[in-house]
Amino acid sequence: MAKRRQSHNPVLKSVRKHSRQGTSLVLVICASAFLLAFALAMVYTASLMMARANRRLEQERCYQLAKSFAEVLDAELGKYTDPKDTNAEESFYLYACKFLEGDYGEYDPDHPEETVFHYTAGVTDVDENYGSVRVVLYKEVNQDPEEEIHPEGEIDNSEEKVDGLKDAKLQRYIFTVEVIATLDGISHHYKTEYRQNATYDVEFSHNGILIYWGDDDQWHTVSGTGGKYEVPAGDKISYRYKTDSDNIKACSFEKAYGAAEGGSP
């Protein structure tokens, strides 16, 4: 049987050798490309995670700025109970009392630009490292007061009723304080609602005659010499709270619903 001849053609051997080398080079290039793509993906993922972490850090800083400023205002509101306290002059507490008793309109969701007011003393323009703060205020009539005492009406002629009106705390308004902090393009809102507890001077009258309850437990006329005034048994006494900043005797604030928070991404 004839043996198969082996080729000793040097050109053919060279072609086969370079073919094997070319295949290896393609495999190396593909592997390198894969590793490069994987490395780039890891770098991109890491950069995204870092960006999100930085964003969360900025959001946290903005939140802390709003919360801290709101806590300062909350402390100011709880610092006093008497608007006529000389120590309360130029305080946020006194401003809040006057805001509620003044000519500022009640909040209207259909016209917020006309019924939301800015506390200018609370605006801070600081450098970009610390951000800026704005404070907006609005008031709403308290639709569900704990005490069912009306600003005016009639009572029975009794010392107990009179004293009860004099010492009553009226919850006429819900007072909202909203702190808006802005830092690095991020805004955070921190809103706190308060109930106003206010005690006012009260005016009494009978048949259109102004009277007051004296220290001798008797009615007296306001005009003239302040002589005693007899109210017939069974007659009602009319009363009217003088609900303005000049006749407010005491005012305090209690949180109504806690704090609400929100922010922009």
Side-chain angles (χ1 to χ4, degrees), residues 33-54:
F34 174 78
L35 291 174
L36 179 61
F38 180 75
L40 291 175
M42 292 295 292
V43 171
Y44 177 72
T45 302
S47 64
L48 282 181
M49 293 177 64
M50 183 64 69
R52 289 171 181 170
N54 289 336

Side-chain angles (χ1 to χ4, degrees), residues 92-111:
F92 178 66
Y93 165 81
L94 185 59
Y95 183 92
C97 292
K98 291 182 177 180
F99 174 82
L100 294 178
E101 304 301 335
D103 296 329
Y104 295 95
E106 297 164 11
Y107 176 68
D108 183 352
D110 295 328
H111 301 90

